[in-house]
Amino acid sequence: MNSHLVSIGTANPGEGIPQMQISNFMKIAHGLDEAGSRVLNYIYRQSGIEQRFSVLEDFRYDNPEHFEFFPKNKYLDPFPGTKKRMEVFQQTGFNLAQKAITQCLQNAMLYPNEVSHLILVSCTGMFAPGLELKIIHELGLRTDIERYTLHFMGCYAAFNGLKLADKICQSNAKAKVLVVSVELCTIHFQKEYTEDNLLANAIFGDGAAAALVTRSKHGLDIKKYDTQLFKSGEDDMAWSIGDFGFEMKLSKYVPELLHKGLDQIHSHLEKLFNISQIKNFAIHPGGKQILQKVEEAFGIGMSANRHSHEVLRNSGNMSSASILFVLKKWLEEEATSGPLLAMGFGPGLTLETMLLEKR
């Protein structure tokens, strides 16, 4: 009996913030003139995103007097440092994780103390004792539970969490593994007006997801997976810790680099996954152009990858949590069955691919 994703829970903080409302904040934060504001508006309208979520209410406002996290002036001076941002993660991450985990376990009709392994995934926050310990103590998981953390890997990290869960289940037939992703991307907003910051500020949002992996005959069957590294994109997508939060390097060339990379390994993926026979895809919603380029590379229409577009439209790019939001929609779509190819990517340039089957 293979490992299956049998239940997925998701959560976002607060109410969604319209994308064009966020652009009004950005105009103030970046100190844009009329010409710069027009460029920003165009980027936001073309993003494929209608709303995003944030643990910071400040992004709702274009009047600094309403700011709570950032200083109440148009220069955002003094700009919040990394310590203050990590405090926000520590204060707000658990509530978001709790909502996702509770939904996941309730859907699976599983008590918290029945979970045998916990895998925490995040590239936007960390502290010790960690969020995973708070989850264990506050939600009533076993204190002898096996726990693992995957930090700072980027948008593809949930794939590694699922692969680890699969290997645990293959070695322990009774294992019930909870994979939890918590990503608060917006706490790392950077005000310097650069191309990288402009792109990152336009697409990232906050969210959490929890997936239960165990041996079963139902759910999303984990069939096989693959990892590919493209050194040519190493400098186009990167993630580092700076004095004012985590700094994202996100080149506008990433979609094209992915397209070229997929062309290079198309025969490998076809041989491994029989892609030409797959009708349903779960591509990480890293951005509108990324989804379009991957669809072009595979020769598929938007309908085959519809849930990725839906997640991007409704929540933006939530880093590693995003793919679990997409898989939840496929898992719960009753009319769908058969093979499902999931794909994620991130710093490296790293490409993770996983073949699942809806049963």
Side-chain angles (χ1 to χ4, degrees), residues 17 54-60 69-70 88 186-188 206:
I17 310 174
S54 176
V55 294
L56 303 177
E57 289 290 302
D58 295 17
F59 295 106
R60 297 183 184 277
F69 177 76
F70 297 107
V88 172
T186 66
I187 66 175
H188 298 293
D206 298 351

Side-chain angles (χ1 to χ4, degrees), residues 32-330:
L32 299 183
D33 58 17
E34 185 176 344
S37 295
R38 285 198 297 268
V39 171
L40 190 75
N41 282 340
Y42 177 80
I43 292 173
Y44 275 58
R45 288 196 185 99
Q46 297 298 314
S47 65
I49 299 171
E50 293 181 1
Q51 66 173 11
R52 287 180 279 159
F53 296 81
S54 176
V55 294
L56 303 177
E57 289 290 302
D58 295 17
F59 295 106
R60 297 183 184 277
Y61 308 116
D62 56 9
N63 183 347
E65 289 298 319
H66 295 149
F67 295 168
E68 296 179 358
F69 177 76
F70 297 107
K72 297 179 185 294
N73 62 76
K74 65 180 181 179
Y75 305 106
L76 306 186
D77 186 38
F79 201 46
T82 303
K83 181 177 185 293
K84 185 174 181 180
R85 298 168 193 251
M86 288 297 93
E87 287 173 352
V88 172
F89 184 91
Q90 190 167 353
Q91 292 162 3
T92 62
F94 170 74
N95 288 339
L96 206 57
Q98 181 182 33
K99 292 177 182 177
I101 294 168
T102 299
Q103 183 186 111
C104 175
L105 295 183
Q106 286 179 346
N107 290 344
M109 294 184 289
L110 192 76
Y111 289 108
N113 61 8
E114 295 181 87
V115 176
S116 62
H117 299 72
L118 175 64
I119 301 171
L120 177 71
V121 180
S122 182
C123 69
T124 53
M126 60 191 78
F127 58 94
L131 178 57
E132 75 279 7
L133 265 71
K134 189 166 186 178
I135 289 171
I136 291 168
H137 294 313
E138 296 292 331
L139 298 186
L141 276 65
R142 291 162 36 183
T143 55
D144 64 345
I145 192 172
E146 287 191 32
R147 60 186 175 93
Y148 305 89
T149 57
L150 298 176
H151 284 305
F152 222 64
M153 301 185 80
C155 295
Y156 64 88
F159 283 84
N160 287 300
L162 294 176
K163 290 192 294 184
L164 176 56
D166 174 55
K167 295 181 188 304
I168 291 170
C169 290
Q170 293 306 318
S171 65
N172 180 352
K174 295 182 179 180
K176 293 178 175 59
V177 186
L178 189 63
V179 180
V180 181
S181 169
V182 181
E183 299 291 13
L184 305 185
C185 306
T186 66
I187 66 175
H188 298 293
F189 162 72
Q190 300 294 312
K191 69 174 180 177
E192 185 180 359
Y193 192 65
T194 66
E195 184 177 87
D196 289 340
N197 289 340
L198 182 63
L199 293 174
N201 292 339
I203 63 172
F204 283 102
D206 298 351
L212 181 65
V213 180
T214 188
R215 290 200 190 185
S216 175
K217 296 180 180 179
H218 305 286
L220 297 177
D221 183 357
I222 300 176
K223 306 292 286 186
K224 59 178 71 173
Y225 31 81
D226 182 66
T227 301
Q228 296 288 325
L229 299 176
F230 301 102
K231 188 171 176 59
S232 59
E234 188 174 46
D235 295 328
D236 291 274
M237 187 183 293
W239 192 229
S240 60
I241 300 177
D243 292 335
F244 302 102
F246 298 173
E247 299 171 357
M248 166 65 75
K249 182 169 185 180
L250 186 64
S251 165
K252 65 181 179 181
Y253 301 110
V254 168
E256 192 60 41
L257 288 167
L258 278 172
H259 189 278
K260 291 180 180 179
L262 289 172
D263 281 346
Q264 293 171 11
I265 63 169
H266 192 277
S267 59
H268 164 74
L269 295 177
E270 177 64 29
K271 182 178 180 180
L272 185 62
F273 298 119
N274 200 16
I275 292 177
S276 59
Q277 301 303 309
I278 296 176
K279 297 180 179 179
N280 298 315
F281 292 79
I283 310 302
H284 166 65
K288 181 179 177 180
Q289 285 192 328
I290 285 177
L291 291 180
Q292 290 174 342
K293 289 296 184 181
V294 174
E295 288 162 3
E296 287 176 13
F298 288 154
I300 62 173
M302 184 185 295
S303 61
N305 189 35
R306 57 189 175 275
H307 291 312
S308 296
H309 288 273
E310 183 181 353
V311 169
L312 180 67
R313 183 169 60 251
N314 293 330
S315 301
N317 180 350
M318 300 166 286
S319 193
S320 71
S322 299
I323 194 62
L324 296 178
F325 274 69
V326 176
L327 292 176
K328 181 178 190 288
K329 293 185 176 296
W330 284 113

